Amino acid sequence: MLRRLALSAVVPLAVLAAAVPASTATASDSGSASSGPVPSVAPTSGPFAAARPALGPLPMPLPLPGFLDDGPGTGAGEADEARTRLTVSVENTGVPGADGTFELECGPTGGTHPEGQAACDRLAEAGATRAGRQELFRETPEGTMCTMIHGGDAFARIVGTWEGRAVDTTASRRDGCEIARWNSLVPVLPDVR
C-alpha cells in the first residue's frame, strides 16, 4: 500500500516537471520571430497564477527506498521477519516434549523452539495478509458466543515481538473459540489434537 501511494505521487511530479519548462518558455527561447510569451495552459490570473515556478523545472523525485521498491537491501519481508523474537511457554498439553518454555527467533531461524523453521514459516504466512496480522495473536473478545467444547487443560503464553509489534497473549483450549485460536497458532504452539 505504501509503495502504491509513493508511486502515485512520483508519477504526477515527473509529468509536471516535464510540462513546466514548456509552459514557461518565451518566444525568444523557441527562436520564433514574434515577441512576447508563447501561449500557455498555465493560468495568468486567479489563485493558481502564483503557482508558476520562478526557478525553472521541478526537481526529479528521488528513487524509492529499498523497503518500498523491493530493491536490494532489507526489504519489508526481511525486516519484519528479522524483528520476530518470541518466548513461548506451554504447559499441560499431555504431549511428550511439548511442555516448557521455548525461544523462537525468525530471520534467521534460531532459538530453542522444537519446530523453529515451521513456526517462522507460519508467522510469515500470517504476516503476509492484513487479516493475519490483525487476528493471529488477538484474544477472543469478551461476550463472543463459542461452542462449549473442552479441548483439554493445555495453556500457553506468548510474549515478545512479532513484525515489530509487541505480543503478550495467552491461549488455552477451554472452548471452541480458543481451540480454533490455538489451532491457528500451530506450529508456534504444539499440535495437541
Side-chain angles (χ1 to χ4, degrees):
M1 178 69 179
L2 186 59
R3 179 181 178 189
R4 189 178 318 145
L5 180 63
L7 287 176
S8 66
V10 168
V11 172
L13 282 176
V15 170
L16 184 60
V20 167
S23 68
T24 59
T26 64
S28 61
D29 293 339
S30 62
S32 172
S34 66
S35 63
V38 174
S40 156
V41 293
T44 57
S45 64
F48 297 111
R52 184 179 297 176
L55 300 176
L58 294 173
M60 289 304 293
L62 297 174
L64 294 173
F67 69 90
L68 289 177
D69 66 358
D70 297 334
T74 304
E78 296 169 9
D80 291 342
E81 189 176 29
R83 296 183 308 189
T84 298
R85 178 173 288 164
L86 300 172
T87 301
V88 181
S89 300
V90 183
E91 57 187 47
N92 300 325
T93 62
V95 176
D99 292 354
T101 300
F102 308 101
E103 299 294 325
L104 176 63
E105 295 178 26
C106 299
T109 303
T112 59
H113 194 284
E115 295 185 51
Q117 186 59 52
C120 287
D121 291 346
R122 173 65 186 115
L123 292 172
E125 175 187 331
T129 66
R130 182 177 179 193
R133 287 189 302 275
Q134 293 175 345
E135 300 292 328
L136 187 63
F137 291 110
R138 189 169 76 171
E139 295 187 18
T140 304
E142 288 292 322
T144 301
M145 305 254 314
C146 301
T147 58
M148 297 306 296
I149 300 171
H150 184 69
D153 294 325
F155 180 82
R157 181 167 185 202
I158 303 171
V159 178
T161 305
W162 176 57
E163 292 189 343
R165 294 182 212 127
V167 173
D168 187 354
T169 190
T170 59
S172 69
R173 299 181 62 81
R174 70 175 182 255
D175 59 35
C177 295
E178 286 296 301
I179 292 170
R181 186 165 169 262
W182 183 291
N183 290 343
S184 74
L185 287 166
V186 170
V188 176
L189 297 178
D191 190 356
V192 295
R193 293 181 235 186

mmCIF file of all heavy atoms in Angstrom, residues 142-193:
data_model
loop_
_atom_site.group_PDB
_atom_site.id
_atom_site.type_symbol
_atom_site.label_atom_id
_atom_site.label_comp_id
_atom_site.label_asym_id
_atom_site.label_seq_id
_atom_site.Cartn_x
_atom_site.Cartn_y
_atom_site.Cartn_z
ATOM 1 N N GLU A 142 -14.448 -10.563 24.763
ATOM 2 C CA GLU A 142 -15.436 -10.918 25.791
ATOM 3 C C GLU A 142 -16.834 -10.908 25.168
ATOM 4 O O GLU A 142 -17.149 -10.059 24.342
ATOM 5 C CB GLU A 142 -15.391 -9.910 26.941
ATOM 6 C CG GLU A 142 -14.161 -10.030 27.802
ATOM 7 C CD GLU A 142 -14.135 -11.334 28.600
ATOM 8 O OE1 GLU A 142 -15.200 -11.780 29.084
ATOM 9 O OE2 GLU A 142 -13.042 -11.906 28.712
ATOM 10 N N GLY A 143 -17.660 -11.843 25.569
ATOM 11 C CA GLY A 143 -19.023 -11.903 25.084
ATOM 12 C C GLY A 143 -19.195 -12.654 23.779
ATOM 13 O O GLY A 143 -20.311 -12.750 23.269
ATOM 14 N N THR A 144 -18.113 -13.184 23.199
ATOM 15 C CA THR A 144 -18.212 -13.939 21.956
ATOM 16 C C THR A 144 -18.897 -15.269 22.235
ATOM 17 O O THR A 144 -18.578 -15.949 23.208
ATOM 18 C CB THR A 144 -16.810 -14.189 21.365
ATOM 19 O OG1 THR A 144 -16.181 -12.937 21.137
ATOM 20 C CG2 THR A 144 -16.886 -14.964 20.064
ATOM 21 N N MET A 145 -19.854 -15.636 21.396
ATOM 22 C CA MET A 145 -20.563 -16.908 21.560
ATOM 23 C C MET A 145 -19.675 -18.019 21.008
ATOM 24 O O MET A 145 -19.343 -18.024 19.833
ATOM 25 C CB MET A 145 -21.892 -16.873 20.816
ATOM 26 C CG MET A 145 -22.771 -15.723 21.223
ATOM 27 S SD MET A 145 -24.178 -16.086 22.235
ATOM 28 C CE MET A 145 -24.953 -17.458 21.549
ATOM 29 N N CYS A 146 -19.262 -18.941 21.876
ATOM 30 C CA CYS A 146 -18.375 -20.033 21.491
ATOM 31 C C CYS A 146 -19.008 -21.357 21.891
ATOM 32 O O CYS A 146 -19.734 -21.432 22.878
ATOM 33 C CB CYS A 146 -17.023 -19.890 22.207
ATOM 34 S SG CYS A 146 -16.192 -18.347 21.852
ATOM 35 N N THR A 147 -18.719 -22.393 21.133
ATOM 36 C CA THR A 147 -19.224 -23.717 21.498
ATOM 37 C C THR A 147 -18.585 -24.148 22.815
ATOM 38 O O THR A 147 -17.442 -23.818 23.111
ATOM 39 C CB THR A 147 -18.889 -24.755 20.410
ATOM 40 O OG1 THR A 147 -17.482 -24.788 20.217
ATOM 41 C CG2 THR A 147 -19.585 -24.416 19.107
ATOM 42 N N MET A 148 -19.315 -24.883 23.592
ATOM 43 C CA MET A 148 -18.834 -25.327 24.904
ATOM 44 C C MET A 148 -18.160 -26.693 24.766
ATOM 45 O O MET A 148 -18.587 -27.687 25.331
ATOM 46 C CB MET A 148 -19.998 -25.374 25.904
ATOM 47 C CG MET A 148 -20.620 -24.004 26.158
ATOM 48 S SD MET A 148 -19.443 -22.740 26.663
ATOM 49 C CE MET A 148 -18.874 -23.382 28.189
ATOM 50 N N ILE A 149 -17.103 -26.706 24.003
ATOM 51 C CA ILE A 149 -16.290 -27.904 23.821
ATOM 52 C C ILE A 149 -15.018 -27.695 24.620
ATOM 53 O O ILE A 149 -14.332 -26.688 24.462
ATOM 54 C CB ILE A 149 -15.928 -28.114 22.338
ATOM 55 C CG1 ILE A 149 -17.191 -28.266 21.498
ATOM 56 C CG2 ILE A 149 -14.996 -29.297 22.155
ATOM 57 C CD1 ILE A 149 -16.925 -28.251 20.003
ATOM 58 N N HIS A 150 -14.707 -28.646 25.481
ATOM 59 C CA HIS A 150 -13.483 -28.536 26.268
ATOM 60 C C HIS A 150 -12.391 -29.312 25.539
ATOM 61 O O HIS A 150 -12.502 -30.514 25.321
ATOM 62 C CB HIS A 150 -13.703 -29.101 27.676
ATOM 63 C CG HIS A 150 -12.512 -28.938 28.565
ATOM 64 N ND1 HIS A 150 -12.095 -27.713 29.024
ATOM 65 C CD2 HIS A 150 -11.644 -29.845 29.073
ATOM 66 C CE1 HIS A 150 -11.030 -27.874 29.790
ATOM 67 N NE2 HIS A 150 -10.731 -29.167 29.833
ATOM 68 N N GLY A 151 -11.329 -28.621 25.152
ATOM 69 C CA GLY A 151 -10.266 -29.250 24.379
ATOM 70 C C GLY A 151 -9.074 -29.679 25.206
ATOM 71 O O GLY A 151 -8.042 -30.018 24.653
ATOM 72 N N GLY A 152 -9.195 -29.642 26.519
ATOM 73 C CA GLY A 152 -8.095 -30.064 27.379
ATOM 74 C C GLY A 152 -7.599 -28.916 28.235
ATOM 75 O O GLY A 152 -8.090 -27.790 28.171
ATOM 76 N N ASP A 153 -6.614 -29.221 29.066
ATOM 77 C CA ASP A 153 -6.092 -28.249 30.023
ATOM 78 C C ASP A 153 -4.855 -27.511 29.515
ATOM 79 O O ASP A 153 -4.199 -26.803 30.288
ATOM 80 C CB ASP A 153 -5.753 -28.957 31.342
ATOM 81 C CG ASP A 153 -6.999 -29.503 32.024
ATOM 82 O OD1 ASP A 153 -8.055 -28.848 31.916
ATOM 83 O OD2 ASP A 153 -6.910 -30.581 32.642
ATOM 84 N N ALA A 154 -4.514 -27.671 28.262
ATOM 85 C CA ALA A 154 -3.315 -27.020 27.728
ATOM 86 C C ALA A 154 -3.450 -25.509 27.850
ATOM 87 O O ALA A 154 -4.515 -24.930 27.641
ATOM 88 C CB ALA A 154 -3.111 -27.410 26.269
ATOM 89 N N PHE A 155 -2.331 -24.888 28.191
ATOM 90 C CA PHE A 155 -2.283 -23.435 28.362
ATOM 91 C C PHE A 155 -0.947 -22.939 27.821
ATOM 92 O O PHE A 155 0.079 -23.593 27.999
ATOM 93 C CB PHE A 155 -2.421 -23.080 29.847
ATOM 94 C CG PHE A 155 -2.378 -21.602 30.112
ATOM 95 C CD1 PHE A 155 -3.502 -20.819 29.963
ATOM 96 C CD2 PHE A 155 -1.189 -20.981 30.489
ATOM 97 C CE1 PHE A 155 -3.458 -19.453 30.187
ATOM 98 C CE2 PHE A 155 -1.138 -19.617 30.718
ATOM 99 C CZ PHE A 155 -2.278 -18.854 30.572
ATOM 100 N N ALA A 156 -0.973 -21.781 27.164
ATOM 101 C CA ALA A 156 0.264 -21.218 26.619
ATOM 102 C C ALA A 156 0.266 -19.709 26.784
ATOM 103 O O ALA A 156 -0.787 -19.075 26.799
ATOM 104 C CB ALA A 156 0.405 -21.570 25.140
ATOM 105 N N ARG A 157 1.458 -19.189 26.917
ATOM 106 C CA ARG A 157 1.638 -17.738 26.931
ATOM 107 C C ARG A 157 2.747 -17.418 25.933
ATOM 108 O O ARG A 157 3.802 -18.051 25.939
ATOM 109 C CB ARG A 157 2.022 -17.228 28.311
ATOM 110 C CG ARG A 157 2.176 -15.717 28.321
ATOM 111 C CD ARG A 157 2.254 -15.137 29.694
ATOM 112 N NE ARG A 157 2.280 -13.692 29.579
ATOM 113 C CZ ARG A 157 2.747 -12.903 30.504
ATOM 114 N NH1 ARG A 157 3.208 -13.413 31.639
ATOM 115 N NH2 ARG A 157 2.750 -11.607 30.339
ATOM 116 N N ILE A 158 2.477 -16.419 25.095
ATOM 117 C CA ILE A 158 3.438 -15.981 24.081
ATOM 118 C C ILE A 158 3.751 -14.515 24.350
ATOM 119 O O ILE A 158 2.850 -13.684 24.398
ATOM 120 C CB ILE A 158 2.865 -16.161 22.659
ATOM 121 C CG1 ILE A 158 2.457 -17.617 22.429
ATOM 122 C CG2 ILE A 158 3.877 -15.710 21.616
ATOM 123 C CD1 ILE A 158 1.692 -17.834 21.134
ATOM 124 N N VAL A 159 5.037 -14.238 24.537
ATOM 125 C CA VAL A 159 5.492 -12.881 24.845
ATOM 126 C C VAL A 159 6.674 -12.556 23.941
ATOM 127 O O VAL A 159 7.513 -13.415 23.692
ATOM 128 C CB VAL A 159 5.929 -12.770 26.327
ATOM 129 C CG1 VAL A 159 6.443 -11.382 26.648
ATOM 130 C CG2 VAL A 159 4.800 -13.154 27.255
ATOM 131 N N GLY A 160 6.727 -11.331 23.445
ATOM 132 C CA GLY A 160 7.875 -10.913 22.643
ATOM 133 C C GLY A 160 7.489 -9.907 21.589
ATOM 134 O O GLY A 160 6.595 -9.084 21.791
ATOM 135 N N THR A 161 8.143 -10.017 20.428
ATOM 136 C CA THR A 161 7.932 -9.090 19.320
ATOM 137 C C THR A 161 7.708 -9.883 18.051
ATOM 138 O O THR A 161 8.455 -10.810 17.750
ATOM 139 C CB THR A 161 9.172 -8.181 19.145
ATOM 140 O OG1 THR A 161 9.444 -7.549 20.380
ATOM 141 C CG2 THR A 161 8.928 -7.135 18.092
ATOM 142 N N TRP A 162 6.671 -9.518 17.316
ATOM 143 C CA TRP A 162 6.365 -10.135 16.028
ATOM 144 C C TRP A 162 6.173 -9.015 15.014
ATOM 145 O O TRP A 162 5.323 -8.144 15.207
ATOM 146 C CB TRP A 162 5.108 -10.994 16.114
ATOM 147 C CG TRP A 162 4.679 -11.579 14.807
ATOM 148 C CD1 TRP A 162 5.414 -12.381 13.988
ATOM 149 C CD2 TRP A 162 3.413 -11.409 14.162
ATOM 150 N NE1 TRP A 162 4.683 -12.726 12.875
ATOM 151 C CE2 TRP A 162 3.446 -12.147 12.959
ATOM 152 C CE3 TRP A 162 2.255 -10.723 14.477
ATOM 153 C CZ2 TRP A 162 2.379 -12.196 12.075
ATOM 154 C CZ3 TRP A 162 1.192 -10.772 13.600
ATOM 155 C CH2 TRP A 162 1.254 -11.507 12.417
ATOM 156 N N GLU A 163 6.974 -9.009 13.952
ATOM 157 C CA GLU A 163 6.930 -7.986 12.910
ATOM 158 C C GLU A 163 7.009 -6.588 13.517
ATOM 159 O O GLU A 163 6.335 -5.664 13.088
ATOM 160 C CB GLU A 163 5.672 -8.119 12.061
ATOM 161 C CG GLU A 163 5.659 -9.372 11.220
ATOM 162 C CD GLU A 163 4.521 -9.381 10.222
ATOM 163 O OE1 GLU A 163 3.558 -8.609 10.362
ATOM 164 O OE2 GLU A 163 4.599 -10.179 9.285
ATOM 165 N N GLY A 164 7.811 -6.442 14.558
ATOM 166 C CA GLY A 164 7.991 -5.138 15.180
ATOM 167 C C GLY A 164 6.904 -4.747 16.160
ATOM 168 O O GLY A 164 6.943 -3.675 16.738
ATOM 169 N N ARG A 165 5.906 -5.604 16.361
ATOM 170 C CA ARG A 165 4.811 -5.307 17.284
ATOM 171 C C ARG A 165 4.955 -6.133 18.549
ATOM 172 O O ARG A 165 5.272 -7.316 18.487
ATOM 173 C CB ARG A 165 3.465 -5.650 16.645
ATOM 174 C CG ARG A 165 3.140 -4.778 15.479
ATOM 175 C CD ARG A 165 1.759 -5.146 14.936
ATOM 176 N NE ARG A 165 1.809 -4.894 13.510
ATOM 177 C CZ ARG A 165 1.489 -5.763 12.587
ATOM 178 N NH1 ARG A 165 1.062 -6.944 12.909
ATOM 179 N NH2 ARG A 165 1.580 -5.456 11.325
ATOM 180 N N ALA A 166 4.664 -5.514 19.676
ATOM 181 C CA ALA A 166 4.731 -6.222 20.949
ATOM 182 C C ALA A 166 3.605 -7.251 21.019
ATOM 183 O O ALA A 166 2.479 -6.992 20.614
ATOM 184 C CB ALA A 166 4.609 -5.240 22.104
ATOM 185 N N VAL A 167 3.954 -8.427 21.524
ATOM 186 C CA VAL A 167 2.982 -9.513 21.694
ATOM 187 C C VAL A 167 3.012 -9.952 23.151
ATOM 188 O O VAL A 167 4.090 -10.170 23.711
ATOM 189 C CB VAL A 167 3.331 -10.718 20.783
ATOM 190 C CG1 VAL A 167 2.438 -11.900 21.074
ATOM 191 C CG2 VAL A 167 3.268 -10.335 19.328
ATOM 192 N N ASP A 168 1.865 -10.062 23.766
ATOM 193 C CA ASP A 168 1.724 -10.620 25.108
ATOM 194 C C ASP A 168 0.322 -11.204 25.163
ATOM 195 O O ASP A 168 -0.655 -10.489 25.408
ATOM 196 C CB ASP A 168 1.923 -9.556 26.186
ATOM 197 C CG ASP A 168 1.947 -10.168 27.586
ATOM 198 O OD1 ASP A 168 1.694 -11.388 27.730
ATOM 199 O OD2 ASP A 168 2.218 -9.413 28.543
ATOM 200 N N THR A 169 0.210 -12.488 24.903
ATOM 201 C CA THR A 169 -1.099 -13.121 24.812
ATOM 202 C C THR A 169 -1.062 -14.513 25.430
ATOM 203 O O THR A 169 0.009 -15.103 25.595
ATOM 204 C CB THR A 169 -1.574 -13.194 23.341
ATOM 205 O OG1 THR A 169 -2.937 -13.607 23.306
ATOM 206 C CG2 THR A 169 -0.724 -14.151 22.526
ATOM 207 N N THR A 170 -2.233 -14.993 25.773
ATOM 208 C CA THR A 170 -2.357 -16.358 26.282
ATOM 209 C C THR A 170 -3.303 -17.128 25.370
ATOM 210 O O THR A 170 -4.118 -16.540 24.661
ATOM 211 C CB THR A 170 -2.916 -16.367 27.722
ATOM 212 O OG1 THR A 170 -4.197 -15.729 27.731
ATOM 213 C CG2 THR A 170 -1.976 -15.655 28.674
ATOM 214 N N ALA A 171 -3.170 -18.438 25.413
ATOM 215 C CA ALA A 171 -4.048 -19.312 24.633
ATOM 216 C C ALA A 171 -4.355 -20.542 25.472
ATOM 217 O O ALA A 171 -3.512 -21.005 26.248
ATOM 218 C CB ALA A 171 -3.386 -19.720 23.323
ATOM 219 N N SER A 172 -5.575 -21.023 25.315
ATOM 220 C CA SER A 172 -5.972 -22.248 26.016
ATOM 221 C C SER A 172 -6.873 -23.044 25.083
ATOM 222 O O SER A 172 -7.050 -22.676 23.929
ATOM 223 C CB SER A 172 -6.710 -21.899 27.314
ATOM 224 O OG SER A 172 -7.969 -21.318 27.026
ATOM 225 N N ARG A 173 -7.437 -24.114 25.604
ATOM 226 C CA ARG A 173 -8.343 -24.943 24.810
ATOM 227 C C ARG A 173 -9.659 -25.124 25.572
ATOM 228 O O ARG A 173 -10.272 -26.169 25.540
ATOM 229 C CB ARG A 173 -7.668 -26.278 24.485
ATOM 230 C CG ARG A 173 -6.391 -26.069 23.655
ATOM 231 C CD ARG A 173 -5.702 -27.341 23.287
ATOM 232 N NE ARG A 173 -6.484 -28.226 22.461
ATOM 233 C CZ ARG A 173 -6.645 -28.128 21.137
ATOM 234 N NH1 ARG A 173 -6.050 -27.162 20.488
ATOM 235 N NH2 ARG A 173 -7.375 -28.989 20.480
ATOM 236 N N ARG A 174 -10.109 -24.053 26.253
ATOM 237 C CA ARG A 174 -11.269 -24.135 27.147
ATOM 238 C C ARG A 174 -12.613 -24.154 26.439
ATOM 239 O O ARG A 174 -13.608 -24.556 27.019
ATOM 240 C CB ARG A 174 -11.233 -23.000 28.157
ATOM 241 C CG ARG A 174 -11.485 -21.642 27.564
ATOM 242 C CD ARG A 174 -11.572 -20.536 28.618
ATOM 243 N NE ARG A 174 -11.858 -19.272 27.972
ATOM 244 C CZ ARG A 174 -10.979 -18.320 27.793
ATOM 245 N NH1 ARG A 174 -9.756 -18.469 28.253
ATOM 246 N NH2 ARG A 174 -11.313 -17.208 27.182
ATOM 247 N N ASP A 175 -12.674 -23.655 25.183
ATOM 248 C CA ASP A 175 -13.933 -23.673 24.433
ATOM 249 C C ASP A 175 -13.617 -23.684 22.934
ATOM 250 O O ASP A 175 -12.454 -23.667 22.540
ATOM 251 C CB ASP A 175 -14.824 -22.474 24.813
ATOM 252 C CG ASP A 175 -14.191 -21.123 24.569
ATOM 253 O OD1 ASP A 175 -13.436 -20.966 23.586
ATOM 254 O OD2 ASP A 175 -14.444 -20.193 25.368
ATOM 255 N N GLY A 176 -14.649 -23.711 22.117
ATOM 256 C CA GLY A 176 -14.456 -23.814 20.669
ATOM 257 C C GLY A 176 -13.661 -22.666 20.072
ATOM 258 O O GLY A 176 -12.844 -22.876 19.174
ATOM 259 N N CYS A 177 -13.881 -21.443 20.551
ATOM 260 C CA CYS A 177 -13.146 -20.293 20.027
ATOM 261 C C CYS A 177 -11.661 -20.399 20.350
ATOM 262 O O CYS A 177 -10.801 -20.132 19.496
ATOM 263 C CB CYS A 177 -13.704 -18.993 20.609
ATOM 264 S SG CYS A 177 -15.399 -18.633 20.118
ATOM 265 N N GLU A 178 -11.356 -20.783 21.579
ATOM 266 C CA GLU A 178 -9.956 -20.895 21.985
ATOM 267 C C GLU A 178 -9.264 -22.084 21.313
ATOM 268 O O GLU A 178 -8.080 -22.011 21.008
ATOM 269 C CB GLU A 178 -9.854 -21.001 23.504
ATOM 270 C CG GLU A 178 -10.104 -19.682 24.212
ATOM 271 C CD GLU A 178 -9.041 -18.653 23.872
ATOM 272 O OE1 GLU A 178 -7.844 -18.902 24.121
ATOM 273 O OE2 GLU A 178 -9.410 -17.584 23.357
ATOM 274 N N ILE A 179 -10.015 -23.162 21.081
ATOM 275 C CA ILE A 179 -9.443 -24.305 20.352
ATOM 276 C C ILE A 179 -9.070 -23.869 18.932
ATOM 277 O O ILE A 179 -7.977 -24.171 18.444
ATOM 278 C CB ILE A 179 -10.419 -25.502 20.323
ATOM 279 C CG1 ILE A 179 -10.588 -26.081 21.727
ATOM 280 C CG2 ILE A 179 -9.951 -26.565 19.328
ATOM 281 C CD1 ILE A 179 -11.698 -27.105 21.836
ATOM 282 N N ALA A 180 -9.963 -23.136 18.268
ATOM 283 C CA ALA A 180 -9.682 -22.658 16.910
ATOM 284 C C ALA A 180 -8.487 -21.700 16.913
ATOM 285 O O ALA A 180 -7.639 -21.750 16.019
ATOM 286 C CB ALA A 180 -10.915 -21.968 16.331
ATOM 287 N N ARG A 181 -8.422 -20.863 17.920
ATOM 288 C CA ARG A 181 -7.298 -19.921 18.025
ATOM 289 C C ARG A 181 -5.985 -20.670 18.237
ATOM 290 O O ARG A 181 -4.972 -20.352 17.619
ATOM 291 C CB ARG A 181 -7.586 -18.957 19.178
ATOM 292 C CG ARG A 181 -6.599 -17.859 19.298
ATOM 293 C CD ARG A 181 -7.159 -16.762 20.210
ATOM 294 N NE ARG A 181 -6.084 -15.850 20.506
ATOM 295 C CZ ARG A 181 -5.354 -15.871 21.606
ATOM 296 N NH1 ARG A 181 -5.616 -16.729 22.554
ATOM 297 N NH2 ARG A 181 -4.374 -15.025 21.781
ATOM 298 N N TRP A 182 -6.002 -21.668 19.133
ATOM 299 C CA TRP A 182 -4.803 -22.485 19.375
ATOM 300 C C TRP A 182 -4.360 -23.148 18.072
ATOM 301 O O TRP A 182 -3.189 -23.111 17.705
ATOM 302 C CB TRP A 182 -5.089 -23.532 20.452
ATOM 303 C CG TRP A 182 -3.923 -24.397 20.835
ATOM 304 C CD1 TRP A 182 -3.315 -25.356 20.061
ATOM 305 C CD2 TRP A 182 -3.213 -24.366 22.070
ATOM 306 N NE1 TRP A 182 -2.289 -25.934 20.747
ATOM 307 C CE2 TRP A 182 -2.199 -25.350 21.989
ATOM 308 C CE3 TRP A 182 -3.346 -23.627 23.238
ATOM 309 C CZ2 TRP A 182 -1.330 -25.601 23.032
ATOM 310 C CZ3 TRP A 182 -2.474 -23.884 24.282
ATOM 311 C CH2 TRP A 182 -1.466 -24.866 24.173
ATOM 312 N N ASN A 183 -5.324 -23.773 17.376
ATOM 313 C CA ASN A 183 -5.002 -24.486 16.140
ATOM 314 C C ASN A 183 -4.437 -23.544 15.071
ATOM 315 O O ASN A 183 -3.611 -23.962 14.258
ATOM 316 C CB ASN A 183 -6.219 -25.229 15.607
ATOM 317 C CG ASN A 183 -6.596 -26.405 16.489
ATOM 318 O OD1 ASN A 183 -5.801 -26.866 17.309
ATOM 319 N ND2 ASN A 183 -7.822 -26.877 16.344
ATOM 320 N N SER A 184 -4.872 -22.274 15.067
ATOM 321 C CA SER A 184 -4.335 -21.331 14.083
ATOM 322 C C SER A 184 -2.886 -20.961 14.399
ATOM 323 O O SER A 184 -2.169 -20.479 13.527
ATOM 324 C CB SER A 184 -5.189 -20.060 14.022
ATOM 325 O OG SER A 184 -4.975 -19.242 15.153
ATOM 326 N N LEU A 185 -2.446 -21.178 15.638
ATOM 327 C CA LEU A 185 -1.083 -20.866 16.049
ATOM 328 C C LEU A 185 -0.125 -22.062 15.924
ATOM 329 O O LEU A 185 1.055 -21.931 16.205
ATOM 330 C CB LEU A 185 -1.068 -20.339 17.484
ATOM 331 C CG LEU A 185 -1.621 -18.924 17.643
ATOM 332 C CD1 LEU A 185 -1.899 -18.616 19.102
ATOM 333 C CD2 LEU A 185 -0.655 -17.924 17.055
ATOM 334 N N VAL A 186 -0.649 -23.239 15.545
ATOM 335 C CA VAL A 186 0.219 -24.404 15.325
ATOM 336 C C VAL A 186 1.024 -24.135 14.057
ATOM 337 O O VAL A 186 0.452 -23.677 13.060
ATOM 338 C CB VAL A 186 -0.635 -25.688 15.192
ATOM 339 C CG1 VAL A 186 0.190 -26.868 14.724
ATOM 340 C CG2 VAL A 186 -1.352 -25.997 16.493
ATOM 341 N N PRO A 187 2.318 -24.320 14.027
ATOM 342 C CA PRO A 187 3.255 -24.977 14.923
ATOM 343 C C PRO A 187 3.981 -24.056 15.915
ATOM 344 O O PRO A 187 4.924 -24.494 16.547
ATOM 345 C CB PRO A 187 4.251 -25.627 13.973
ATOM 346 C CG PRO A 187 4.317 -24.683 12.832
ATOM 347 C CD PRO A 187 2.935 -24.099 12.697
ATOM 348 N N VAL A 188 3.569 -22.785 16.040
ATOM 349 C CA VAL A 188 4.153 -21.958 17.095
ATOM 350 C C VAL A 188 3.815 -22.601 18.433
ATOM 351 O O VAL A 188 4.654 -22.714 19.326
ATOM 352 C CB VAL A 188 3.629 -20.503 17.028
ATOM 353 C CG1 VAL A 188 4.172 -19.678 18.176
ATOM 354 C CG2 VAL A 188 3.975 -19.880 15.688
ATOM 355 N N LEU A 189 2.572 -23.068 18.563
ATOM 356 C CA LEU A 189 2.130 -23.871 19.700
ATOM 357 C C LEU A 189 2.090 -25.329 19.256
ATOM 358 O O LEU A 189 1.868 -25.604 18.076
ATOM 359 C CB LEU A 189 0.745 -23.415 20.175
ATOM 360 C CG LEU A 189 0.654 -21.986 20.693
ATOM 361 C CD1 LEU A 189 -0.770 -21.651 21.094
ATOM 362 C CD2 LEU A 189 1.595 -21.754 21.853
ATOM 363 N N PRO A 190 2.251 -26.262 20.182
ATOM 364 C CA PRO A 190 2.234 -27.677 19.768
ATOM 365 C C PRO A 190 0.860 -28.133 19.320
ATOM 366 O O PRO A 190 -0.163 -27.645 19.802
ATOM 367 C CB PRO A 190 2.678 -28.416 21.036
ATOM 368 C CG PRO A 190 2.399 -27.484 22.158
ATOM 369 C CD PRO A 190 2.504 -26.099 21.604
ATOM 370 N N ASP A 191 0.836 -29.085 18.398
ATOM 371 C CA ASP A 191 -0.409 -29.678 17.921
ATOM 372 C C ASP A 191 -0.857 -30.714 18.941
ATOM 373 O O ASP A 191 -0.201 -31.753 19.101
ATOM 374 C CB ASP A 191 -0.194 -30.306 16.554
ATOM 375 C CG ASP A 191 -1.486 -30.731 15.878
ATOM 376 O OD1 ASP A 191 -2.554 -30.598 16.511
ATOM 377 O OD2 ASP A 191 -1.425 -31.187 14.732
ATOM 378 N N VAL A 192 -1.962 -30.435 19.635
ATOM 379 C CA VAL A 192 -2.443 -31.353 20.678
ATOM 380 C C VAL A 192 -3.782 -31.972 20.310
ATOM 381 O O VAL A 192 -4.494 -32.468 21.174
ATOM 382 C CB VAL A 192 -2.539 -30.625 22.050
ATOM 383 C CG1 VAL A 192 -1.183 -30.214 22.523
ATOM 384 C CG2 VAL A 192 -3.472 -29.442 21.994
ATOM 385 N N ARG A 193 -4.132 -31.984 19.050
ATOM 386 C CA ARG A 193 -5.432 -32.549 18.640
ATOM 387 C C ARG A 193 -5.488 -34.025 18.853
ATOM 388 O O ARG A 193 -4.617 -34.783 18.761
ATOM 389 C CB ARG A 193 -5.674 -32.271 17.164
ATOM 390 C CG ARG A 193 -5.850 -30.811 16.895
ATOM 391 C CD ARG A 193 -6.113 -30.590 15.455
ATOM 392 N NE ARG A 193 -5.090 -29.635 14.983
ATOM 393 C CZ ARG A 193 -5.078 -29.114 13.790
ATOM 394 N NH1 ARG A 193 -5.969 -29.454 12.913
ATOM 395 N NH2 ARG A 193 -4.166 -28.258 13.436
#
